[in-house]
Amino acid sequence: MDIPRIFNITESAHRIHNPFTPEKLATLGAALRLETGTRVLDLGSGSGEMLCTWARDHGVVGTGIDLSQLFTEQAKRRAEELGVADRVEFIHGDATGYVSDQKAGVAACVGASWIGGGVAGTIALLAQSLGPGGIILIGEPYWRQMPPTEDVARGCLAGSISDFLGLPELLASFGRLGYDVVEMVLADQDSWDRYEAAKWLTMRRWLEANPDDDLAKEVQTQLTSEPTRYAAYTREYLGWGVFALMAR
């Protein structure tokens, strides 16, 4: 049970597997006014940076579940490094359909809404683990500017323009699901750069160490094409943000 190996390769050096910098992650934690002892559930927790740093900075406790064995191991090491291993736990597993036995003050799925079959399904899933008055965190892409053609949308690795909404439409969609948007922190082009461009050095170093690996050709193809594709499409057209929601 694991994610496709290509992601374990290209993002193996990432602490944050979304277009967020540590500063933006800290901004989000502060914006939520987290209290000591708040329980946080993080579905698709990656390398655990959100839970670990919030446990250090705000005294939260919680659980993260992620399908990547590598990222889960990195999360456990990060918890030890930051001295919070007694407050957070990380489980290697499939977060699809996961409901916590302990109600959370914050239930999050930041950049992995496929676990609920999309935004609406993921919000409904998270709500099952949320205590009264709790906050749902959902991390989602949106069109920073609307692509002029379907080819441009595909250049952003979307299937079509209709895959994503503009920011106002995305915010309105949360309201139609019965939620107030109570906070948001948005990626910018610099944080996108840190997410995407960091992969390129990782790929190059991996290729130097693994020239005969079965995936070497695929990794080299990505390394050759990704800088130009990213600069022409994703960097210009695609936004991303984390949105805090409370049920009406």
Side-chain angles (χ1 to χ4, degrees):
M1 181 170 58
D2 211 328
I3 63 174
R5 185 168 171 242
I6 188 68
F7 296 109
N8 280 327
I9 292 171
T10 60
E11 298 191 25
S12 60
H14 283 53
R15 282 185 174 166
I16 302 171
H17 301 276
N18 291 299
F20 250 24
T21 59
E23 293 77 14
K24 285 187 179 291
L25 199 57
T27 295
L28 177 62
L32 296 177
R33 308 171 197 174
L34 296 167
E35 296 181 356
T36 299
T38 298
R39 178 163 293 280
V40 179
L41 174 67
D42 188 6
L43 302 186
S45 50
S47 296
E49 193 71 358
M50 185 173 80
L51 270 177
C52 289
T53 56
W54 288 4
R56 177 196 64 192
D57 298 340
H58 304 287
V60 306
V61 299
T63 301
I65 301 102
D66 199 88
L67 195 58
S68 168
Q69 184 171 350
L70 172 64
F71 297 165
T72 303
E73 292 169 354
Q74 290 175 337
K76 292 176 180 179
R77 289 198 296 271
R78 185 64 167 154
E80 294 285 352
E81 178 185 340
L82 296 185
V84 297
D86 58 334
R87 293 180 228 165
V88 295
E89 65 169 338
F90 294 98
I91 300 168
H92 172 229
D94 187 353
T96 302
Y98 184 90
V99 177
S100 175
D101 293 334
Q102 296 178 286
K103 295 299 184 183
V106 176
C109 180
V110 178
S113 61
W114 56 84
I115 67 170
V119 173
T122 299
I123 289 173
L125 173 63
L126 293 170
Q128 296 180 61
S129 298
L130 199 65
I135 291 175
I136 286 175
L137 292 183
I138 191 89
E140 278 299 306
Y142 60 88
W143 292 123
R144 182 170 170 265
Q145 51 178 320
M146 199 59 65
T149 67
E150 293 290 352
D151 283 344
V152 170
R154 286 188 286 271
C156 298
L157 304 184
S160 69
I161 294 173
S162 62
D163 280 4
F164 306 128
L165 301 171
L167 181 57
E169 292 76 24
L170 178 59
L171 296 173
S173 75
F174 298 135
R176 290 193 293 273
L177 294 172
Y179 288 86
D180 289 321
V181 180
V182 297
E183 258 294 358
M184 69 179 187
V185 178
L186 304 181
D188 55 24
Q189 288 180 311
D190 178 65
S191 57
W192 267 109
D193 291 348
R194 301 290 17 95
Y195 173 56
E196 293 289 350
K199 299 175 187 177
W200 308 336
L201 181 58
T202 300
M203 286 191 277
R204 177 56 188 264
R205 296 295 190 224
W206 184 88
L207 285 166
E208 290 170 352
N210 301 275
D212 299 320
D213 191 279
D214 290 345
L215 279 184
K217 184 176 180 180
E218 181 178 347
V219 172
Q220 182 62 66
T221 298
Q222 281 203 25
L223 179 57
T224 301
S225 63
E226 274 297 286
T228 301
R229 183 209 62 78
Y230 165 67
Y233 298 109
T234 299
R235 194 176 195 272
E236 295 303 313
Y237 291 95
L238 198 59
W240 191 87
V242 181
F243 306 93
L245 313 176
M246 294 182 72
R248 289 176 179 162

